[in-house]
Each structure stands twice: as structure tokens, then as C-alpha cells.
Amino acid sequence: MSARTPLSRATPTRDVTSALDPQAQERAEDELIMHLERDQFVAETSRPVPRAPLGAWASGSLWALRVFVVVVSLMVIYTFVDQLH
Amino acid sequence: MGTPEVAASSPLLRQPRLTEEDTARSRDRSRVHHARRHRKRWHLLWLLVGPGILAMLGENDGPSMIAYAADGAQYGLGFFVPFIPLLFAMAYVCQEMCMRVGAVTHRGYGELVLQRYGRVWGWFVAGDLTLTNLVTLVAEFVAIRVGLAYFHLGAGVAVALGLALVVFTLSGGRYWRWERIVLGLAAFNGLFLLAAILVKPDVGAIAGSLDFTPFPGGGFNTLLLLLASTIGATVTPWMIFFQQSASADKGMTPSDVAHGRYDTALGAVLAAIFGIGALIAGAALLSHGGSGIQGFAGAGFPQALERVAGGAAGTVFALGLIEAGAVAILTISASTAYAAGECIGASHSFNSSPRGAAVFYAANIGVALLAALVILIPGAPLLSIALNANVLATVLLPVSLVLLVILANDKDLMGPWVNKRSTNIVGIGVIAFVGVCGAAYGIDSFLQAVHLIGS
């Protein structure tokens, strides 16, 4: 198994109790679980990752880039409409 | 997403109950583990390739191949033969980051941006994606229509074919099935290489153009349009969303990052070769009035190729356009569906059933349907839409790329898999290049449109 990522926790190991479980379906589930890393389960990926607010410099730069991109996009759309006429 | 449940069977080890998505992904992973354990290297590679090749060949889409052919028809081989591989090298840098972030975090791009940096940025990038995807999807249907027009088939057939493919590939409820069908279709992108061979190009002229000369002539705005549209033909927002989400959906883990790099590199090499194929095929028209060809008027390029290089070249090019449009419809619709599911917080996996992932399936089919309806509108400006699709993607790309670089440098998310310094330097260079080219074209064209500068 791979090295752990910061988001991951230990992949559940196969337990003796599950091997003794009479229900075949649950045994099959245990075997399938072995092939997934813990943080790959839908139950895990459903949990949002912690928020990491952008710093003032990064946030300001992103907003500036955002505004610039919107303005240029509007120019491209205007040119597109103008060319139609 | 699916409802997390806790198994009650083992009080000693409380582990999550498998959802249908987990079960399907786990089956795929069991084959990967088996191949790795038994050192079946080629089988392991076969199991792990997919998202990278699909992102790259998906971007060799209808408008891109027509753009390459138009470059060849108008300017010849010079400059573009080395420029296309350079652009795909840039695309590799971006797509490798997507694959790595997806494999390490098991989450899609939109989901991570939204959760990590807030709803505003999440919805911004999703909005950019939706806009460019819708415009690009219209262009894909146009490309299919152009290809089919060569065989005297109309827009209705193009719409039916595109939508039928989307529904058919979604019908299995498995990521693996979807990926393999689309990979099979994408292999036919090689038709452009066959078209290049059929026009019997001068190999010496191809080799001689590797020094970026002759530089394309024409006005400043024309050059900017060429740069912006060619960049938009190789790196686009949908590729970022698609490869990261598909890597997570495929179940890739940090152990698979090396194979993910092979996958992405193979996709980039194939896409560059096939793109140059379209360029060479188009260049056959250079001395036959190629610059006057309106690719979307009637059968356009295939018809012109038939006159110059024979019926086989025209047929192969037309089939290539149909393939390029069809594969791109599948991958771009998928990227829209991933983004919709991730931003709304609904299940977003090919491994879920339509009932379990209604938003994902509805977005996948809905966006394709919406684009299809546009090409059925009589008198719709399809040529202008197709030509501007790549430019709009180029203009909107920098924000998505900046957030991707921030994610790939997030130590809390990526741990030891954060970007290396060299990757950051190249990544920032790519962002600057894309941003400057897109903005320069947008501003220059606007100033001409409002008559502040002459054309």
C-alpha cells in the first residue's frame, strides 16, 4: 500500500472477527475494502476538506486576475457579436 | 454523494458500509493490486492508463483539428510543426498536476477549490467551465456535422449520433466501461496521421520546419488569433476538471502517480503527432487556394482534400472530424457533469447508478443536449462560434491554472507530493504565456472592433 497522504487514515485491516462472520456478503465486503485506501471511500470523500483561507496577497492577486479575465472575456464576446454583424 | 453508513457487524472495527460506487472502484483496484503484486508491468500500465490519454486526445477535438488544418492551409508547416509539441509539453505540465492532485486527494478540482478556498472561487471556476464547455460542445457538434456533410448527411444525424453516444457510454454504470469505450473511440484520432500520409507530404519540408521558420506572416491581430486559438486547442479548463476528477473516479492513489505520468505523457505525444497530422493534411492545400477555404461552409476541408489528394484523403479527414467531435463531446460532457456534482455536493461518479447520481447523469446528458439544440437553430453563427471557442477557453484559462498550482502546492492536502520548485517555475511560465497571448488577442480585437486602432 502506498505512503499515507495527509488526508488519509489507516486502511482498515482485515479482522479475525470478520473472518468468523457467517455472512458471506460481509466477508466479500471486507475483501473489497482491502483494495481501497481509507480516504477513497465515499463516506470519507463526502467529508469536506478543511477550509484554508487564502492570504491577503494571494486573495488580492486572484481577484485582480479574476477581474482582468472577466474584462477580457467581455471584450472577446463583444468582438464576437460585432463580427456577426 | 452517497450516504455514509457504518457497518454494525464488527463492534471492534467500525468501518464504512460500501456504497455501489465503492464496490465498483474496489473491483477495479483489486485488479491493479493483483497486477502490481505479480509484477505484470504491461498489464498494470494497461489498467492505469486512461484519464491522461483521454484528456489529451479529447482536446484534439473538432475545432482544434480544423484550427491545425487551417494553420497548415494558410501558412504551411513552418513554425507550427515545432509549436504544437511545445504546447502539448505545456499541457503535460498542467495535466500532470491535475492527475497528481486527484490521485493524492481522491477529489475533483471543483470540489477542492470550493471546499478549500470558498464557494466564491468554486463557483467562479465552475462558471468559467460551463461557459467554455457549452461553446466548445457546440463546436464539436459542428465538427461532426462538417464530417458527416462529406457523406451527404445533415445536422439531424450529427445531433442524433452525438447524443446517442453520450447515452450509450453512460449506460453501464461503471467508470471502467466508460473509459474503455471512449479510449477505443479516441484511438481513431490516428486517422489524422493517416490523412497526412495520404497527402504524400514532403518529409524534407517537415524536417526543415523544426526550427520554427518561416514565421507566419500577416497582421499582428492575425498572429495573436493564431497563438490564442492554437493554445486553446491544447490547454483548456475542461481538461483540468476532467483529468483530476477522472483520476479520483478511477481510484488512482499515490502509488499510481508514476503510471499516471506515463499515461499523461503518452496522451501528449499521441495528441501532438495526430495534431501535426492534421496540420500536414491541411498544408497540402497551401498551394491550392487553402487560405480561402471556409472550413464550415459545406464539407470544407474534406472536400478540398479530395480535390487535391484524392477521395481517400478526404474520406479519412472527414471520418477523423467525426471521431474528434464525438470523443470531445463525451469527455467535455463528463467534465461538466463532474463539476456540477462536485459544486452542488451530489454524487459524481460513473461508478454510481443514474438513480444514485441523478445530477451527474442529468448534467452529462443535459449539456450535450443543449449544445446539440444550438446547431439545429436555422442561421445560427456556427462558424463564428467554433472559431471563438478556443479563444474564449484561452482567455478564461489562467484563473483555473493559478488555482491548480495553489492546490498542487498545498502541503496539508498533498503532503510529500507537492509541486517541485522546477514544476512551479514551468507552471507559472505557462500561466504567464497563456494569459498574455489570450489577453493580447482579446484587447487588440476589441480595440479594432470599436475602431480605436486600425486592422
Side-chain angles (χ1 to χ4, degrees), chain A residues 59-79:
Chain A
S59 189
S61 304
L62 267 174
W63 271 109
L65 181 63
R66 179 78 230 171
V67 171
F68 180 69
V69 159
V70 168
V71 170
V72 175
S73 302
L74 290 174
M75 289 177 171
V76 169
I77 292 168
Y78 176 88
T79 308

Side-chain angles (χ1 to χ4, degrees), chain B residues 163 166-167 170 333-334 336-338 340-341 344 346-350 353-370:
Chain B
L163 291 178
V166 172
V167 173
L170 284 175
S333 299
T336 315
Y338 277 130
I344 292 170
S347 181
H348 48 272
S349 171
F350 283 106
S353 65
R355 189 175 296 175
V359 171
F360 177 80
Y361 282 85
N364 211 321
I365 296 171
V367 72
L369 182 65
L370 202 58

Side-chain angles (χ1 to χ4, degrees), chain A residues 2 5-6 13 26 30 32-33 35 39-42 44-52 62 66 73 80 84, chain B residues 1 9 13 15 18 22 26 29-30 33 106-107 115-118 121 128 251 255 381 384 388 396 412 415:
Chain A
S2 65
T5 68
T13 51
E26 289 191 3
D30 283 345
L32 281 173
I33 285 171
H35 297 297
D39 55 351
Q40 279 185 293
F41 289 105
V42 169
E44 286 293 321
T45 55
S46 300
R47 296 195 182 116
V49 295
R51 178 82 185 266
L62 267 174
R66 179 78 230 171
S73 302
F80 165 69
L84 293 181
Chain B
M1 293 189 189
S9 60
L13 182 65
Q15 54 198 31
L18 290 180
D22 290 325
S26 183
R29 293 303 300 170
S30 72
H33 288 181
H106 310 300
R107 292 162 197 259
Q115 293 172 1
R116 200 78 175 138
Y117 306 117
W121 291 109
D128 289 350
S255 321
S384 295
N388 282 282
L396 289 171
D412 291 339

